[in-house]
CSV table of all heavy atoms in Angstrom, one decimal:
chain,number,residue,atom,x,y,z
A,21,SER,N,-12.0,-8.1,-1.9
A,21,SER,CA,-11.9,-8.1,-3.4
A,21,SER,C,-10.8,-7.2,-4.1
A,21,SER,O,-10.4,-7.3,-5.2
A,21,SER,CB,-13.2,-7.8,-3.9
A,21,SER,OG,-13.5,-6.5,-3.6
A,22,GLY,N,-10.4,-6.1,-3.3
A,22,GLY,CA,-9.3,-5.3,-3.8
A,22,GLY,C,-9.9,-4.1,-4.5
A,22,GLY,O,-9.2,-3.3,-5.1
A,23,ASP,N,-11.3,-4.0,-4.5
A,23,ASP,CA,-11.8,-2.9,-5.2
A,23,ASP,C,-12.0,-1.7,-4.6
A,23,ASP,O,-12.4,-0.6,-5.1
A,23,ASP,CB,-13.2,-3.3,-5.9
A,23,ASP,CG,-14.2,-3.8,-4.8
A,23,ASP,OD1,-13.9,-3.9,-3.6
A,23,ASP,OD2,-15.4,-4.1,-5.1
A,24,SER,N,-11.8,-1.7,-3.2
A,24,SER,CA,-11.8,-0.5,-2.3
A,24,SER,C,-10.6,-0.2,-1.7
A,24,SER,O,-10.1,-1.2,-0.9
A,24,SER,CB,-13.0,-0.6,-1.3
A,24,SER,OG,-14.4,-0.7,-1.8
A,25,LEU,N,-9.9,0.8,-1.9
A,25,LEU,CA,-8.6,1.1,-1.4
A,25,LEU,C,-8.6,2.5,-0.6
A,25,LEU,O,-9.3,3.5,-1.2
A,25,LEU,CB,-7.7,1.2,-2.6
A,25,LEU,CG,-7.5,0.1,-3.6
A,25,LEU,CD1,-6.5,0.3,-4.6
A,25,LEU,CD2,-7.1,-1.2,-2.7
A,26,TYR,N,-8.1,2.5,0.5
A,26,TYR,CA,-8.1,3.8,1.3
A,26,TYR,C,-6.5,4.1,1.6
A,26,TYR,O,-5.7,3.1,1.7
A,26,TYR,CB,-8.8,3.6,2.7
A,26,TYR,CG,-10.2,3.5,2.6
A,26,TYR,CD1,-11.0,3.1,3.6
A,26,TYR,CD2,-10.8,3.8,1.3
A,26,TYR,CE1,-12.4,3.1,3.7
A,26,TYR,CE2,-12.3,3.7,1.3
A,26,TYR,CZ,-13.1,3.3,2.4
A,26,TYR,OH,-14.4,3.2,2.3
A,27,TYR,N,-6.1,5.2,1.5
A,27,TYR,CA,-4.9,5.6,1.8
A,27,TYR,C,-4.9,7.1,2.7
A,27,TYR,O,-5.7,7.8,2.5
A,27,TYR,CB,-4.1,6.1,0.5
A,27,TYR,CG,-3.9,5.0,-0.4
A,27,TYR,CD1,-4.7,4.7,-1.6
A,27,TYR,CD2,-2.8,4.0,-0.2
A,27,TYR,CE1,-4.3,3.7,-2.3
A,27,TYR,CE2,-2.4,2.9,-1.1
A,27,TYR,CZ,-3.4,2.8,-2.1
A,27,TYR,OH,-3.2,1.7,-3.0
A,28,SER,N,-3.9,7.1,3.5
A,28,SER,CA,-3.6,8.2,4.2
A,28,SER,C,-3.2,9.4,3.3
A,28,SER,O,-2.7,9.2,2.3
A,28,SER,CB,-2.7,8.2,5.5
A,28,SER,OG,-1.2,7.9,4.9
A,29,ASP,N,-3.4,10.6,3.6
A,29,ASP,CA,-2.9,11.7,2.7
A,29,ASP,C,-1.5,11.9,2.5
A,29,ASP,O,-1.1,12.2,1.5
A,29,ASP,CB,-3.4,13.0,3.2
A,29,ASP,CG,-5.0,13.2,3.3
A,29,ASP,OD1,-5.6,12.5,2.5
A,29,ASP,OD2,-5.5,14.1,4.0
A,30,SER,N,-0.8,11.4,3.6
A,30,SER,CA,0.7,11.5,3.5
A,30,SER,C,1.3,10.5,2.6
A,30,SER,O,2.5,10.6,2.1
A,30,SER,CB,1.3,11.3,4.9
A,30,SER,OG,1.0,10.1,5.5
A,31,VAL,N,0.7,9.4,2.2
A,31,VAL,CA,1.2,8.3,1.5
A,31,VAL,C,0.5,8.3,0.2
A,31,VAL,O,1.0,7.5,-0.8
A,31,VAL,CB,1.2,7.0,2.1
A,31,VAL,CG1,1.9,7.0,3.4
A,31,VAL,CG2,-0.2,6.5,2.3
A,32,LYS,N,-0.6,8.9,-0.1
A,32,LYS,CA,-1.4,8.8,-1.4
A,32,LYS,C,-0.4,9.2,-2.5
A,32,LYS,O,0.2,10.3,-2.5
A,32,LYS,CB,-2.6,9.7,-1.3
A,32,LYS,CG,-3.5,9.5,-2.4
A,32,LYS,CD,-4.8,10.3,-2.3
A,32,LYS,CE,-5.5,9.9,-1.0
A,32,LYS,NZ,-6.8,10.6,-0.8
A,33,GLY,N,-0.4,8.4,-3.6
A,33,GLY,CA,0.4,8.7,-4.7
A,33,GLY,C,1.8,8.2,-4.7
A,33,GLY,O,2.6,8.0,-5.6
A,34,ARG,N,2.2,7.5,-3.4
A,34,ARG,CA,3.5,7.1,-3.4
A,34,ARG,C,3.5,5.6,-2.8
A,34,ARG,O,4.4,4.9,-3.3
A,34,ARG,CB,4.3,7.8,-2.2
A,34,ARG,CG,4.7,9.3,-2.5
A,34,ARG,CD,5.6,9.9,-1.5
A,34,ARG,NE,4.9,9.9,0.0
A,34,ARG,CZ,5.6,9.2,0.9
A,34,ARG,NH1,6.7,8.6,0.8
A,34,ARG,NH2,5.0,9.2,2.2
A,35,PHE,N,2.5,5.3,-2.2
A,35,PHE,CA,2.3,3.9,-1.7
A,35,PHE,C,1.1,3.2,-2.4
A,35,PHE,O,0.2,3.9,-2.6
A,35,PHE,CB,2.0,3.8,-0.2
A,35,PHE,CG,3.2,4.2,0.7
A,35,PHE,CD1,4.3,4.7,0.2
A,35,PHE,CD2,3.1,4.1,2.1
A,35,PHE,CE1,5.4,5.1,1.0
A,35,PHE,CE2,4.2,4.4,2.9
A,35,PHE,CZ,5.3,5.0,2.3
A,36,THR,N,1.2,1.9,-2.5
A,36,THR,CA,0.0,1.1,-3.2
A,36,THR,C,-0.1,-0.2,-2.3
A,36,THR,O,0.8,-0.9,-2.2
A,36,THR,CB,0.5,0.8,-4.7
A,36,THR,OG1,0.6,1.9,-5.5
A,36,THR,CG2,-0.8,0.0,-5.2
A,37,ILE,N,-1.4,-0.3,-1.9
A,37,ILE,CA,-1.8,-1.4,-1.3
A,37,ILE,C,-2.4,-2.5,-2.2
A,37,ILE,O,-3.1,-2.0,-3.1
A,37,ILE,CB,-2.7,-1.2,0.1
A,37,ILE,CG1,-2.9,-2.5,0.8
A,37,ILE,CG2,-4.0,-0.7,-0.5
A,37,ILE,CD1,-3.7,-2.3,2.1
A,38,SER,N,-2.1,-3.8,-2.2
A,38,SER,CA,-2.6,-4.8,-3.0
A,38,SER,C,-2.7,-6.0,-2.3
A,38,SER,O,-2.1,-6.2,-1.1
A,38,SER,CB,-1.8,-4.9,-4.2
A,38,SER,OG,-0.4,-5.4,-4.0
A,39,ARG,N,-3.3,-7.1,-2.8
A,39,ARG,CA,-3.4,-8.3,-2.2
A,39,ARG,C,-3.5,-9.4,-3.2
A,39,ARG,O,-4.0,-9.2,-4.3
A,39,ARG,CB,-4.6,-8.4,-1.2
A,39,ARG,CG,-6.0,-8.4,-1.9
A,39,ARG,CD,-7.0,-8.1,-0.9
A,39,ARG,NE,-7.0,-9.1,0.2
A,39,ARG,CZ,-7.6,-9.1,1.4
A,39,ARG,NH1,-8.3,-8.0,1.7
A,39,ARG,NH2,-7.6,-10.1,2.3
A,40,ASP,N,-3.1,-10.7,-2.9
A,40,ASP,CA,-3.1,-11.9,-3.6
A,40,ASP,C,-3.8,-13.0,-2.7
A,40,ASP,O,-3.2,-13.5,-2.0
A,40,ASP,CB,-1.8,-12.3,-4.1
A,40,ASP,CG,-1.9,-13.5,-5.1
A,40,ASP,OD1,-3.0,-14.1,-5.1
A,40,ASP,OD2,-0.9,-13.7,-5.9
A,41,ASN,N,-5.1,-13.1,-3.0
A,41,ASN,CA,-5.9,-13.8,-2.1
A,41,ASN,C,-5.5,-15.5,-2.3
A,41,ASN,O,-5.7,-16.3,-1.4
A,41,ASN,CB,-7.4,-13.8,-2.2
A,41,ASN,CG,-7.8,-12.5,-1.8
A,41,ASN,OD1,-7.2,-11.7,-0.9
A,41,ASN,ND2,-9.0,-12.0,-2.2
A,42,THR,N,-5.0,-15.8,-3.4
A,42,THR,CA,-4.6,-17.1,-3.6
A,42,THR,C,-3.3,-17.5,-2.7
A,42,THR,O,-3.2,-18.6,-2.5
A,42,THR,CB,-4.4,-17.4,-5.0
A,42,THR,OG1,-3.1,-16.6,-5.6
A,42,THR,CG2,-5.4,-17.2,-5.9
A,43,LYS,N,-2.5,-16.5,-2.6
A,43,LYS,CA,-1.4,-16.6,-1.6
A,43,LYS,C,-1.6,-16.1,-0.1
A,43,LYS,O,-0.8,-16.3,0.6
A,43,LYS,CB,-0.2,-15.8,-2.2
A,43,LYS,CG,0.2,-16.2,-3.5
A,43,LYS,CD,1.4,-15.3,-4.0
A,43,LYS,CE,1.8,-15.9,-5.4
A,43,LYS,NZ,3.0,-15.0,-5.8
A,44,ARG,N,-2.9,-15.6,0.1
A,44,ARG,CA,-3.3,-15.1,1.3
A,44,ARG,C,-2.2,-14.1,1.9
A,44,ARG,O,-1.9,-14.2,2.9
A,44,ARG,CB,-3.5,-16.3,2.4
A,44,ARG,CG,-4.5,-17.3,2.0
A,44,ARG,CD,-4.9,-18.1,3.1
A,44,ARG,NE,-3.9,-18.9,3.7
A,44,ARG,CZ,-4.0,-19.9,4.7
A,44,ARG,NH1,-5.2,-19.9,5.2
A,44,ARG,NH2,-3.0,-20.5,5.1
A,45,THR,N,-1.9,-13.2,0.9
A,45,THR,CA,-0.9,-12.2,1.2
A,45,THR,C,-1.2,-10.9,0.8
A,45,THR,O,-1.8,-10.8,-0.3
A,45,THR,CB,0.5,-12.6,0.6
A,45,THR,OG1,0.7,-13.9,1.1
A,45,THR,CG2,1.6,-11.6,0.9
A,46,ALA,N,-1.1,-9.8,1.7
A,46,ALA,CA,-1.2,-8.5,1.3
A,46,ALA,C,0.1,-7.8,1.1
A,46,ALA,O,1.1,-8.2,1.8
A,46,ALA,CB,-2.0,-7.7,2.3
A,47,TYR,N,0.1,-6.8,0.2
A,47,TYR,CA,1.5,-6.1,0.0
A,47,TYR,C,1.3,-4.5,0.2
A,47,TYR,O,0.1,-4.0,0.0
A,47,TYR,CB,1.9,-6.3,-1.4
A,47,TYR,CG,2.0,-7.7,-1.7
A,47,TYR,CD1,0.9,-8.4,-2.4
A,47,TYR,CD2,3.2,-8.5,-1.5
A,47,TYR,CE1,1.0,-9.8,-2.6
A,47,TYR,CE2,3.2,-9.9,-1.8
A,47,TYR,CZ,2.1,-10.5,-2.5
A,47,TYR,OH,2.1,-11.9,-2.7
A,48,LEU,N,2.4,-4.0,0.4
A,48,LEU,CA,2.4,-2.5,0.5
A,48,LEU,C,3.7,-2.1,-0.3
A,48,LEU,O,4.8,-2.1,0.2
A,48,LEU,CB,2.4,-1.9,2.0
A,48,LEU,CG,2.5,-0.4,2.0
A,48,LEU,CD1,1.0,0.1,1.6
A,48,LEU,CD2,2.7,0.1,3.5
A,49,GLN,N,3.4,-1.6,-1.6
A,49,GLN,CA,4.5,-1.0,-2.3
A,49,GLN,C,4.8,0.3,-2.0
A,49,GLN,O,3.9,1.3,-2.0
A,49,GLN,CB,4.1,-1.2,-3.9
A,49,GLN,CG,5.2,-0.6,-4.7
A,49,GLN,CD,6.5,-1.4,-4.6
A,49,GLN,OE1,6.4,-2.6,-4.7
A,49,GLN,NE2,7.7,-0.8,-4.6
A,50,MET,N,6.0,0.6,-1.5
A,50,MET,CA,6.3,2.0,-1.0
A,50,MET,C,7.4,2.6,-1.8
A,50,MET,O,8.5,2.1,-1.9
A,50,MET,CB,6.9,1.8,0.5
A,50,MET,CG,6.0,1.0,1.4
A,50,MET,SD,6.8,0.5,2.9
A,50,MET,CE,6.8,2.1,3.8
A,51,ASN,N,7.0,3.7,-2.6
A,51,ASN,CA,7.9,4.4,-3.4
A,51,ASN,C,8.2,5.7,-3.0
A,51,ASN,O,7.3,6.3,-2.1
A,51,ASN,CB,7.3,4.4,-4.8
A,51,ASN,CG,7.1,3.1,-5.5
A,51,ASN,OD1,7.9,2.1,-5.2
A,51,ASN,ND2,6.1,3.0,-6.4
A,52,SER,N,9.2,6.4,-3.5
A,52,SER,CA,9.4,7.7,-3.1
A,52,SER,C,9.5,7.9,-1.6
A,52,SER,O,9.0,8.9,-1.1
A,52,SER,CB,8.7,8.6,-3.7
A,52,SER,OG,8.6,8.6,-5.2
A,53,LEU,N,10.2,7.0,-1.0
A,53,LEU,CA,10.3,7.1,0.5
A,53,LEU,C,11.1,8.3,1.0
A,53,LEU,O,12.1,8.7,0.3
A,53,LEU,CB,10.9,5.7,1.1
A,53,LEU,CG,10.0,4.4,1.0
A,53,LEU,CD1,10.9,3.3,1.1
A,53,LEU,CD2,9.0,4.6,2.0
A,54,ASN,N,10.8,8.8,2.1
A,54,ASN,CA,11.4,9.9,2.7
A,54,ASN,C,11.6,9.5,4.2
A,54,ASN,O,10.9,8.6,4.8
A,54,ASN,CB,10.6,11.2,2.5
A,54,ASN,CG,9.3,11.1,3.1
A,54,ASN,OD1,9.1,11.1,4.3
A,54,ASN,ND2,8.2,11.3,2.2
A,55,PRO,N,12.5,10.3,4.8
A,55,PRO,CA,12.7,9.9,6.3
A,55,PRO,C,11.5,10.0,7.1
A,55,PRO,O,11.5,9.2,8.2
A,55,PRO,CB,13.8,11.0,6.7
A,55,PRO,CG,14.5,11.4,5.4
A,55,PRO,CD,13.4,11.3,4.3
A,56,GLU,N,10.5,10.8,6.8
A,56,GLU,CA,9.2,10.8,7.6
A,56,GLU,C,8.4,9.6,7.6
A,56,GLU,O,7.6,9.3,8.4
A,56,GLU,CB,8.4,11.9,7.1
A,56,GLU,CG,8.9,13.3,7.5
A,56,GLU,CD,10.2,13.7,6.8
A,56,GLU,OE1,10.3,13.3,5.6
A,56,GLU,OE2,11.2,14.3,7.3
A,57,ASP,N,8.9,8.6,6.6
A,57,ASP,CA,8.2,7.3,6.5
A,57,ASP,C,8.7,6.4,7.4
A,57,ASP,O,8.3,5.2,7.7
A,57,ASP,CB,8.2,6.8,5.1
A,57,ASP,CG,7.5,7.7,4.2
A,57,ASP,OD1,6.4,8.1,4.5
A,57,ASP,OD2,8.0,7.9,3.0
A,58,THR,N,9.8,6.7,8.2
A,58,THR,CA,10.5,5.8,9.0
A,58,THR,C,9.6,5.4,10.2
A,58,THR,O,9.0,6.2,10.9
A,58,THR,CB,11.8,6.4,9.7
A,58,THR,OG1,12.7,6.6,8.7
A,58,THR,CG2,12.4,5.4,10.7
């Protein structure tokens, strides 16, 4: 349903997970990327 979201401490505040069930697709918006995210 998208009402429960979990994040690792290292990405919290920078990444956002979402989904569109009509498209059967999940997303990960990754902002403020740093080399450690490689």
Side-chain angles (χ1 to χ4, degrees):
S21 63
D23 59 353
S24 296
L25 307 174
Y26 292 167
Y27 296 97
S28 68
D29 291 339
S30 63
V31 307
K32 188 176 299 183
R34 299 189 298 120
F35 292 5
T36 302
I37 187 172
S38 61
R39 67 192 303 166
D40 185 341
N41 290 342
T42 63
K43 299 180 179 179
R44 300 197 297 180
T45 302
Y47 305 94
L48 184 67
Q49 179 66 46
M50 311 168 72
N51 297 329
S52 302
L53 287 163
N54 57 65
E56 289 69 38
D57 297 317
T58 295

